[in-house]
Amino acid sequence: MIDERAVEIWNDELEELFLRTGHRFQRVEPRRRMRDYIRGLLGRLRAVDILCRSG
């Protein structure tokens, strides 16, 4: 099971990635869309991982 601290670390590292790549987008809207898209993809992977381990 993933604990709260692991989620915090994951989130911090993801935010750092967004800060490092954000300059590639001129406007804030595309940056936010990219962030939300990546989080959505990774969230689905985590959900699949949980289902595979429990089944």
Side-chain angles (χ1 to χ4, degrees), residues 41-52:
L41 289 175
L42 293 175
R44 288 187 197 127
L45 286 176
R46 180 66 193 136
V48 168
D49 183 44
I50 289 170
L51 289 173
C52 288

Side-chain angles (χ1 to χ4, degrees), residues 2-19:
I2 293 182
D3 63 359
E4 203 169 310
R5 181 65 187 136
V7 172
E8 278 183 37
I9 291 169
W10 180 85
N11 192 47
D12 291 346
E13 290 177 0
L14 197 55
E15 282 299 321
E16 186 177 323
L17 173 68
F18 296 144
L19 289 173

